[in-house]
């Protein structure tokens, strides 16, 4: 047999070295209390389940609408914009990846060599850890800009004085409310940054439905701003993968040109359209989740946790008495799964997704038991 080089040599160099995004664990054990990936504890509206069930028939042999027209139309009506202002994705991760492909020149291209900002993808640190992974896949020039104390958004003057923000970067991601901290940002502060930045600014509003304010209006007023949202968190549809962007028709047209032809599957389109028809059901869920968030936050603070203010469906906390990883493991042994980031700078925190009232009761009982046992030992 002819000798061949290792298959590794067949892979592009920068992909060989790539560290993939690490998603939260998806344990299949039903008895585990899963508070680690910010899923919604409530099921989709009964009408959504019914619509998806009714769509499972001989139509599965057909391609879905490549333009996701019904979803676009429903989202346009929901946000008071035109369908040309909306693009739908296979989750909002798809939107983020499309934005990089559409707006950023690879760093080794002639355009980026002439003007490095054209190849620059910038984002605040910490924020969604998928941005640098997508940036590396595309060979973008990554620029990570530190947030202020307690994850505060720097003001424009601070960004100008600090020199770390590239006001001409091809693409800037701002996670608002911030993940993993949960901190909410004021629209006025975001607007000041969007106005001063010349490249595309993508406001990643994956958790906006749990917040007191959102910045959707900026996508309609600034031609360089787009807002991405998801059906995963607020609308209990992680399994179906639907996200979307709202922005200027020119930017949306660019995303449309480079997306996969059938990027949103048919059942997901059915689920998304039906979801928007039953918004009141979800509004009740948002209220319960926000209420549980505040209750859990107060209860944890009373027990000595440092809890960061949250405008999302999760809490970032610093636990008392022992390292965060030990808390994580002891909760895991009780069947309660939360998120621990083993990365430098983040390894003193725990992130807890907000579950239903009974789930949060079980969680708090677990926390109290650990505290009791640690006092006895
Ligand atoms: C900040 C942020 N953006 C985007 C996403 C992606 O959401 P999806 O691809 O499920 O729409 C997530 C998911 O965790 C997130 O935390």
């Amino acid at each position: 047999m002819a000798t061949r080089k290792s298959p590794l040599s067949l892979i592009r160099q920068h992909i060989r070295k790539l560290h993939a995004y690490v998603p939260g664990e998806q344990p299949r054990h039903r008895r585990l209390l899963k508070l680690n990936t910010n899923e919604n504890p409530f099921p989709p509206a009964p009408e959504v389940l019914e619509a998806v069930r009714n769509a499972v028939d001989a139509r599965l042999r057909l391609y879905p609408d490549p333009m996701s027209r019904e979803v676009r139309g429903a989202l346009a009506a929901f946000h008071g914009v035109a369908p040309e202002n909306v693009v739908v994705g296979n989750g909002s991760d798809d939107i983020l990846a499309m934005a990089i492909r559409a707006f950023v020149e690879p760093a080794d291209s002639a355009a980026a060599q002439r003007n490095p900002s054209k190849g620059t993808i910038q984002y605040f640190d910490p924020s969604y850890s998928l941005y640098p992974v997508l940036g590396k896949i595309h060979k973008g020039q990554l620029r990570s800009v530190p947030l202020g104390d307690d994850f505060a958004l720097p003001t424009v003057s601070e960004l100008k004085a600090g020199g770390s923000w590239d006001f001409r970067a091809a693409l800037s991601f701002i996670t608002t409310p911030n993940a993993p901290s949960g901190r909410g940002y004021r629209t006025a502060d975001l607007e000041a940054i969007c106005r001063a930045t010349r490249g595309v600014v993508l406001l990643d509003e994956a958790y906006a439905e749990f917040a007191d304010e959102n910045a959707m209006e900026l996508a309609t007023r600034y031609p360089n701003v787009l807002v991405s949202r998801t059906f995963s968190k607020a609308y209990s549809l992680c399994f179906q993968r639907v996200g979307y962007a709202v922005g200027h028709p020119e930017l949306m047209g660019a995303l449309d040109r480079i997306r996969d032809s059938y990027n949103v599957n048919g059942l997901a389109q059915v689920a998304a359209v039906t979801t928007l028809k039953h918004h009141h059901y979800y509004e009740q869920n948002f209220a319960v989740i926000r209420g549980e968030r505040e209750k859990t936050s107060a209860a944890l603070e009373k027990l000595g946790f440092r809890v960061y203010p949250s405008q999302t469906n999760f809490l970032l906390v610093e636990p008392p008495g022992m390292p965060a990883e030990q808390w994580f493991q002891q909760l895991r042994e009780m069947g309660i799964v939360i998120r621990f980031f083993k990365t430098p700078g983040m390894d003193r925190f725990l992130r807890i997704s907000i579950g239903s009232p009974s789930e949060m009761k079980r969680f708090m009982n677990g926390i109290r038991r650990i505290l009791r046992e640690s006092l006895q030992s």
Side-chain angles (χ1 to χ4, degrees):
M1 199 169 80
T3 52
R4 281 182 184 267
K5 278 197 220 155
S6 151
L8 207 60
S9 65
L10 306 175
I11 300 167
R12 295 172 73 196
Q13 275 197 14
H14 72 292
I15 303 297
R16 277 184 230 167
K17 290 181 288 194
L18 184 77
H19 291 286
Y21 172 71
V22 184
E25 184 191 352
Q26 289 294 346
R28 288 287 161 234
H29 204 303
R30 276 176 175 263
R31 281 215 302 277
L32 286 178
L33 172 53
K34 196 173 173 309
L35 302 176
N36 66 335
T37 48
N38 303 337
E39 289 147 345
N40 197 305
F42 301 110
E47 295 85 352
V48 172
L49 296 179
E50 198 188 333
V52 172
R53 255 186 236 116
N54 290 342
V56 179
D57 57 23
R59 268 176 292 172
L60 291 190
R61 75 189 173 82
L62 300 173
Y63 284 107
D65 176 6
M67 296 295 291
S68 302
R69 260 175 301 224
E70 265 197 80
V71 189
R72 277 185 194 209
L75 284 167
F78 182 66
H79 288 295
V81 297
E84 295 71 42
N85 292 111
V86 181
V87 167
V88 189
N90 179 33
S92 58
D93 284 349
D94 189 25
I95 299 288
L96 308 178
M98 282 187 223
I100 290 181
R101 293 208 305 277
F103 308 129
V104 182
E105 302 285 2
D108 54 7
S109 65
Q113 304 262 310
R114 265 195 313 277
N115 177 357
S117 293
K118 290 270 177 209
T120 298
I121 300 164
Q122 71 185 342
Y123 45 85
F124 286 107
D125 179 45
S127 64
Y128 188 29
S129 55
L130 181 68
Y131 309 142
V133 177
L134 295 175
K136 281 181 193 161
I137 293 170
H138 187 71
K139 285 191 157 182
Q141 182 66 49
L142 305 183
R143 200 174 173 105
S144 158
V145 178
L147 287 169
D149 290 343
D150 295 346
F151 312 101
L153 187 70
T155 63
V156 170
S157 337
E158 282 166 348
L159 289 176
K160 282 184 179 157
S164 53
W165 186 259
D166 178 355
F167 285 88
R168 298 193 170 272
L171 180 60
S172 308
F173 288 111
I174 307 181
T175 321
T176 174
N178 178 255
S181 72
R183 184 166 177 152
Y185 297 139
R186 290 177 46 222
T187 304
D189 297 337
L190 293 164
E191 180 168 2
I193 295 176
C194 292
R195 196 187 311 121
T197 305
R198 292 281 156 255
V200 175
V201 182
L202 189 153
L203 302 174
D204 179 347
E205 290 201 330
Y207 300 97
E209 293 84 355
F210 305 106
D212 295 336
E213 59 179 307
N214 67 71
M216 182 56 86
E217 55 156 322
L218 301 183
T220 61
R221 292 204 284 116
Y222 290 88
N224 65 323
V225 174
L226 53 101
V227 169
S228 71
R229 293 264 183 105
T230 176
F231 281 72
S232 293
K233 318 289 178 176
Y235 300 114
S236 308
L237 274 186
C238 289
F239 198 76
Q240 291 279 20
R241 312 295 301 125
V242 192
Y244 62 98
V246 175
H248 191 279
E250 288 288 356
L251 300 189
M252 297 297 103
L255 299 188
D256 248 340
R257 284 198 291 281
I258 51 98
R259 69 179 168 77
D260 289 347
S261 321
Y262 302 102
N263 67 325
V264 185
N265 78 72
L267 296 179
Q269 294 190 33
V270 168
V273 169
T274 317
T275 295
L276 292 170
K277 287 185 186 149
H278 297 280
H279 206 261
H280 60 279
Y281 165 87
Y282 297 95
E283 278 163 20
Q284 290 162 15
N285 294 348
F286 304 160
V288 175
I289 290 167
R290 279 197 293 255
E292 284 305 305
R293 177 181 77 200
E294 298 315 310
K295 235 168 76 186
T296 309
S297 166
L300 287 171
E301 267 178 350
K302 238 177 165 172
L303 296 176
F305 283 71
R306 175 162 187 207
V307 184
Y308 288 80
S310 170
Q311 287 281 294
T312 60
N313 66 339
F314 58 84
L315 291 172
L316 191 76
V317 306
E318 286 179 68
M322 61 185 174
E325 188 167 15
Q326 227 167 304
W327 275 95
F328 167 76
Q329 273 156 359
Q330 293 200 17
L331 284 165
R332 186 84 177 66
E333 279 157 27
M334 290 178 186
I336 301 171
V337 189
I338 60 170
R339 191 82 189 255
F340 167 69
F341 305 94
K342 219 183 168 97
T343 45
M346 289 307 292
D347 55 3
R348 64 181 197 279
F349 299 105
L350 295 170
R351 197 193 65 190
I352 303 140
S353 306
I354 301 298
S356 66
S358 63
E359 287 175 332
M360 295 324 283
K361 206 163 154 195
R362 180 171 159 199
F363 168 74
M364 285 308 302
N365 284 341
I367 292 283
R368 288 198 186 91
R369 200 172 118 199
I370 292 173
L371 277 174
R372 260 197 321 274
E373 283 169 7
S374 73
L375 281 179
Q376 280 161 7
S377 62

